[in-house]
Amino acid sequence: KSATCSITVGKAADTVEISATSTSLAVGKTLTLKAKASCEDGSKPVSTAVTFEIVEGQEYATIDDKGKIKGVDTGEVVVRATAVAGTEEAYDEVTINVCIPATKVTLDVTKTSMALGFGELQLTATMTPVDNTDTLTWTSSKEEVATVDENGVVTAHSAGSVKITAKSGSGKSATCSITVGKAADTVE
């Protein structure tokens, strides 16, 4: 009797990228992460397969070998995807906030104007329900016109129109439209 074995030899993957549709997950719900191993130089690796594991926060979620994560309790979870046929550095991590998600985000101001060189504007976001444990991120549609920090403080940089968005990790958002212009020279 005899047996044969086929072996494929190829280049090891040296990078992994996780894509997540959300960075927040409600307790009791699931989210499927996608990840793919590749070669930074663009060549084809012997395998694009990855394995998933929770490296921090195992008490807050579970994950299967296909990247399906289920929220168990509120807290932060760090998920790692590692290339099956890769170098030691061929992994990526994402932090998922297992939470009571926000169902709505509102801003105290939805439309305003700012004058160049005259201070900053503080925007305040409110997420409901009040007992939510969701995350909130701020973004600017045109950073050359105005930037926003992690606390909702807007700084004008040049004349133009910009949209500042506050978005919960569960995907709910609110936007403020801002027109930035020069300050009036005189008041009549």
Side-chain angles (χ1 to χ4, degrees), residues 34-59:
K34 302 284 185 197
K36 185 177 180 183
S38 60
C39 296
E40 284 186 37
D41 66 7
S43 61
K44 186 177 178 182
V46 67
S47 173
T48 59
V50 298
T51 58
F52 290 93
E53 66 178 321
I54 294 175
V55 293
E56 289 179 37
Q58 293 88 343
E59 65 271 31

Side-chain angles (χ1 to χ4, degrees), residues 110-168:
T110 58
K111 188 174 183 180
T112 192
S113 299
M114 290 180 74
L116 283 170
F118 284 89
E120 301 167 327
L121 170 67
Q122 173 70 60
L123 294 176
T124 302
T126 303
M127 295 192 293
T128 53
V130 293
D131 66 341
N132 83 81
T133 56
D134 215 335
T135 58
L136 185 73
T137 56
W138 293 89
T139 56
S140 168
S141 64
K142 295 181 184 171
E143 291 194 344
E144 65 276 10
V145 175
T147 53
V148 62
D149 71 11
E150 67 277 0
N151 300 309
V153 177
V154 180
T155 305
H157 299 291
S158 65
S161 296
V162 64
K163 291 185 185 302
I164 302 297
T165 302
K167 185 176 181 181
S168 71

Side-chain angles (χ1 to χ4, degrees), residues 1-68:
K1 293 188 174 194
S2 67
T4 58
C5 175
S6 296
I7 298 174
T8 303
V9 178
K11 187 166 184 174
D14 55 13
T15 185
V16 172
E17 185 174 352
I18 297 175
S19 60
T21 55
S22 175
T23 55
S24 287
L25 174 63
V27 173
K29 299 292 184 183
T30 61
L31 171 70
T32 301
L33 302 174
K34 302 284 185 197
K36 185 177 180 183
S38 60
C39 296
E40 284 186 37
D41 66 7
S43 61
K44 186 177 178 182
V46 67
S47 173
T48 59
V50 298
T51 58
F52 290 93
E53 66 178 321
I54 294 175
V55 293
E56 289 179 37
Q58 293 88 343
E59 65 271 31
Y60 305 121
T62 59
I63 194 163
D64 68 14
D65 57 354
K66 296 196 180 348
K68 187 175 184 179

Side-chain angles (χ1 to χ4, degrees), residues 3 26 54 70 80 93 112 160 175:
I54 294 175
K70 181 175 183 178
R80 179 179 291 174
E93 293 181 346
T112 192
T175 301

Side-chain angles (χ1 to χ4, degrees), residues 63-134:
I63 194 163
D64 68 14
D65 57 354
K66 296 196 180 348
K68 187 175 184 179
I69 184 170
K70 181 175 183 178
V72 176
D73 197 3
T74 58
E76 281 194 350
V77 176
V78 178
V79 176
R80 179 179 291 174
T82 305
V84 171
T87 63
E88 276 186 25
E89 298 82 25
Y91 69 88
D92 192 14
E93 293 181 346
V94 64
T95 300
I96 303 293
N97 179 37
V98 181
C99 65
I100 298 168
T103 57
K104 184 176 184 182
V105 176
T106 56
L107 291 176
D108 59 337
V109 177
T110 58
K111 188 174 183 180
T112 192
S113 299
M114 290 180 74
L116 283 170
F118 284 89
E120 301 167 327
L121 170 67
Q122 173 70 60
L123 294 176
T124 302
T126 303
M127 295 192 293
T128 53
V130 293
D131 66 341
N132 83 81
T133 56
D134 215 335

